[in-house]
């Protein structure tokens, strides 16, 4: 008999389009669409792995036209993962998305933070998703 993995999947949107994000701050995706397993916290913007395994994460950032260069990154337990998205956002709205696969241990935390840029606002198409393979 094999032990089944817990159901872990989430998608959350950022609807607070007027809230400014500063450099190195966690980007909070406060509106959960799906949160099976309740591993994503929409108040803090942090995902906590409930089990060991391979996890797939996707995020998309929509940069406002007045942002300028903006870069966001996926972070695991406070360390860079190398998974980043960049958008230009000068003079027009711009989108950028990326996907990464991380091996996590139970209790590891993952979030998206603003890596480059300051006083950034994100559009309503900004989202963060993840699931256990």
């Amino acid at each position: 008999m094999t032990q089944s993995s817990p159901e872990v999947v989430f998608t959350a949107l950022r609807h607070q389009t007027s809230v400014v994000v500063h450099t190195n701050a966690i980007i909070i995706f406060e509106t959960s669409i799906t949160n099976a397993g309740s591993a994503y916290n929409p108040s803090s913007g942090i995902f906590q792995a409930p089990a060991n395994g391979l996890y797939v994460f996707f995020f998309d950032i929509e940069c406002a036209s007045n942002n300028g260069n903006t870069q966001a990154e996926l972070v695991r337990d406070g360390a860079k993962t190398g998974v980043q998205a960049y958008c230009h956002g000068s003079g027009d709205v711009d989108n950028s998305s990326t996907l990464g696969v991380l091996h996590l241990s139970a209790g590891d935390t993952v979030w998206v933070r603003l890596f480059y840029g300051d006083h950034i606002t994100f559009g309503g198409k900004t989202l963060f998703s993840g699931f256990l393979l």
Side-chain angles (χ1 to χ4, degrees):
M1 178 180 218
T2 61
Q3 186 177 13
S4 64
S5 296
E7 183 179 48
V8 181
V9 60
F10 75 94
T11 296
L13 294 172
R14 181 173 174 82
H15 278 141
Q16 298 175 350
T17 58
S18 62
V19 176
V20 173
V21 179
H22 297 283
T23 305
N24 292 320
I26 295 172
I27 301 170
I28 297 174
F29 303 82
E30 78 286 347
T31 304
S32 292
I33 296 172
T34 303
N35 197 5
S38 300
Y40 176 75
N41 182 331
S43 297
S44 68
I46 297 174
F47 170 86
Q48 186 170 21
N52 297 342
L54 286 173
Y55 289 81
V56 177
F57 294 97
F58 170 85
F59 68 91
D60 181 87
I61 55 174
E62 180 183 57
C63 299
S65 60
N66 60 342
N67 280 351
N69 297 334
T70 303
Q71 192 168 0
E73 65 181 350
L74 194 64
V75 176
R76 176 182 48 214
D77 291 332
K80 295 179 179 186
T81 63
V83 179
Q84 301 177 346
Y86 166 87
C87 57
H88 185 60
S90 289
D92 200 359
V93 175
D94 193 14
N95 270 72
S96 181
S97 59
T98 191
L99 181 137
V101 179
L102 301 176
H103 187 273
L104 301 179
S105 297
D108 284 353
T109 55
V110 175
W111 62 87
V112 179
R113 80 172 163 206
L114 181 61
F115 173 65
Y116 181 86
D118 198 17
H119 294 86
I120 302 298
T121 55
F122 293 99
K125 295 179 187 150
T126 300
L127 64 88
F128 182 31
S129 292
F131 60 90
L132 173 62
L133 280 177

